[in-house]
Amino acid sequence: MSGGLLVAGTTSDAGKSVLTAGICRWLHRQGVKVAPFKAQNMSNNSAVVVGPDGRGGEIGRAQAMQAAACGLAPDLRFNPVLLKPGSDLSSQVVLLGEAVDTLTADTFASLRPRLAETAYAALSELRSAYDVVVCEGAGSPAEINLRGGDFVNMGLARQAGLPTVVVGDIDRGGVFAAMFGTLALLDPADQALIAGFVVNKFRGDRGLLEPGLAMLSQVTGRPTYGVLPWSVDLWLDAEDSLAYGRVLGRPAAPHGTEWLDVAVVRLPRVSNATDVEALATEPGVRVRLTVEPAELAAADLIVLPGSKSTVADLAWLRETGLADVVTAHVAAGRPLLGICGGFQMLARAIHDPVESRRGSVPGLGLLPIEITFDPRKTVRAAAGTFSDDLPVRGYEIHHGYVSAADPTLTPLLRYLDGVGEGAVHGVVHGTHWHGAFESDEFRRWFLTRVSRLAGRTGFRVAPDTSFAGARERTLDLLGDLVEEHLDTAALWRLIESGPPTDLPFVPPGAPRV
């Protein structure tokens, strides 16, 4: 068979990514050869895929997570177009894993036909290779200002004949209006592909919801395929930015007698903030993203995460006064970690004719290095060692590189060929590697080190925490939620046979596209 389904949403963050992953895991459990797909993603959270030619490329992190739900290694075709915002007005365009251009809203239209052609070809290849492809939309299909050039939502559904399910987040409120309005703003041909709805993040007595579900079915002529409950355990592999001040996950009680408090600076263009999720899987480690000076000042460890705009975010750090909090933290002898763009900010100087085009600017001066930006982007998987030749893995996505360094500087990691990477300078640590903390031994070593530097002598790492295991449990939970709370028989009929042919039109509808 060559079945397919599009999961669209009433809004961004309605639950498209997790529902897609859950359906993928459910199908995978049934022995179906299934793959995920998102024609175009806009996110600074990306994962590295090593292609057949050995070169590294990027896809959205959500599609890498969905691939894992399918039991697959990531594939560049799973997310052929990735837009990485560098400012409010421009984005880097990554096409089949390779950065090809930087576009503004004014110039995007000229490239869109090429992007659409690439996306359609990738989906066609996947549908030839897999029994089922579960596609994820972007934003909302009711963004009628963008419908003319759309190839991610109903443009994709119409081109590929995909039945479409619309998911809405009831936790935000207004979910019935959002679902009805999404359908009613589409033209007749688009509406003919909208087969029904899924309610996400419901809390409370399902019986209280039933009258609304019945009325929604009555006014749209379409069923609700199920109601997914709100779950506190779904926080790994976030699609995009994380909320200010929110503690990640549900930190377990300390293995020792003390907690370790980690504050991650929520930069305006934060990139791959998911790096710190691995820290949050450890018992007794409290991790949150924040822009509050008091929370940074009180933390045991401050983390400067990756950034899509290193120089601009460094300027913001200074303008907000947070740079002073970071330097005071180090002056007090407490540990600091910089990852990728955050590592680059720690340098004495940054030379950037590429990303910001601001030339040479002073860094925070907390590491005796200089950073230079190269037009060629480093995108690759990374493997090496730390401490006593223990293994560690990660991946790299950056334009900047260390162009000068104090020769006596101690590296944080080493590549397999022995070349040093990153730096340890007193209480200051830095690395270009993303994903290193997913290596359990490295994470435990690092947390043990920084807890001692912070004076948390009662903190102890647990000996058996597995990040890979935590990720698998999350994917299994998603599959469980789909199996237990959705009408999977009806979903299977959609995937196998397409949308019903008798779906009514709901006025007023948009002009036919």
Side-chain angles (χ1 to χ4, degrees), residues 219-297:
V219 298
T220 65
R222 291 158 173 84
T224 296
Y225 291 106
V227 178
L228 295 175
W230 186 83
S231 174
V232 296
D233 293 319
L234 297 178
W235 58 275
L236 283 178
D237 293 307
E239 166 75 343
D240 226 314
S241 60
L242 301 174
Y244 296 165
R246 192 187 74 186
V247 175
L248 300 187
R250 291 192 299 168
H255 193 68
T257 59
E258 288 188 283
W259 287 79
L260 188 70
D261 191 38
V262 180
V264 184
V265 180
R266 204 290 191 186
L267 300 166
R269 295 296 167 187
V270 63
S271 176
N272 283 52
T274 45
D275 284 326
V276 299
E277 291 180 350
L279 301 180
T281 61
E282 285 288 346
V285 180
R286 185 172 184 269
V287 180
R288 58 183 157 185
L289 270 75
T290 182
V291 294
E292 295 298 327
E295 291 183 345
L296 292 179

Side-chain angles (χ1 to χ4, degrees), residues 180-482:
F180 178 85
T182 296
L183 180 66
L185 281 175
L186 300 178
D187 75 18
D190 286 351
Q191 285 197 24
L193 297 171
I194 302 290
F197 309 99
V198 171
V199 175
N200 190 32
K201 297 184 184 178
F202 179 68
R203 315 186 202 206
D205 183 349
R206 163 90 185 243
L208 297 176
L209 197 61
E210 290 299 337
L213 298 177
M215 186 176 295
L216 181 66
S217 178
Q218 180 182 350
V219 298
T220 65
R222 291 158 173 84
T224 296
Y225 291 106
V227 178
L228 295 175
W230 186 83
S231 174
V232 296
D233 293 319
L234 297 178
W235 58 275
L236 283 178
D237 293 307
E239 166 75 343
D240 226 314
S241 60
L242 301 174
Y244 296 165
R246 192 187 74 186
V247 175
L248 300 187
R250 291 192 299 168
H255 193 68
T257 59
E258 288 188 283
W259 287 79
L260 188 70
D261 191 38
V262 180
V264 184
V265 180
R266 204 290 191 186
L267 300 166
R269 295 296 167 187
V270 63
S271 176
N272 283 52
T274 45
D275 284 326
V276 299
E277 291 180 350
L279 301 180
T281 61
E282 285 288 346
V285 180
R286 185 172 184 269
V287 180
R288 58 183 157 185
L289 270 75
T290 182
V291 294
E292 295 298 327
E295 291 183 345
L296 292 179
D300 299 312
L301 169 67
I302 292 178
V303 179
L304 292 179
S307 168
K308 185 63 186 70
S309 300
T310 298
V311 171
D313 278 358
L314 175 59
W316 172 87
L317 207 65
R318 289 190 166 111
E319 290 164 3
T320 58
L322 296 180
D324 294 332
V325 178
V326 170
T327 54
H329 180 89
V330 172
R334 288 183 289 169
L336 172 69
L337 169 66
I339 303 174
C340 200
F343 170 44
Q344 295 166 0
M345 294 178 194
L346 305 180
R348 289 172 177 167
I350 302 173
H351 313 289
D352 180 15
V354 176
E355 193 174 75
S356 69
R357 300 180 182 178
R358 297 188 188 180
S360 297
V361 299
L364 294 177
L366 297 175
L367 285 175
I369 63 173
E370 294 186 16
I371 296 290
T372 299
F373 276 67
D374 192 304
R376 294 168 298 177
K377 191 175 188 180
T378 297
V379 181
R380 62 189 179 193
T385 61
F386 70 97
S387 186
D388 296 324
D389 292 328
L390 295 171
V392 59
R393 291 185 175 274
Y395 58 96
E396 297 180 63
I397 307 173
H398 54 91
H399 283 282
Y401 65 95
V402 177
S403 54
D406 185 324
T408 65
L409 190 62
T410 302
L412 179 63
L413 305 166
R414 290 192 181 276
Y415 292 99
L416 292 176
D417 61 6
V419 174
E421 196 288 324
V424 178
H425 185 62
V427 296
V428 181
H429 310 73
T431 177
H432 270 125
W433 287 22
H434 296 289
F437 295 112
E438 295 179 17
S439 294
D440 297 330
E441 290 298 331
F442 176 70
R443 183 180 64 254
R444 294 173 190 140
W445 172 85
F446 179 80
L447 289 174
T448 298
R449 174 182 170 82
V450 298
S451 65
R452 299 302 176 263
L453 291 171
R456 296 295 186 188
T457 56
F459 174 81
R460 296 287 184 274
V461 292
D464 55 355
T465 304
S466 166
F467 182 79
R471 177 173 281 154
E472 277 299 301
R473 287 191 295 274
T474 297
L475 296 174
D476 281 335
L477 172 59
L478 288 171
D480 292 344
L481 291 174
V482 166

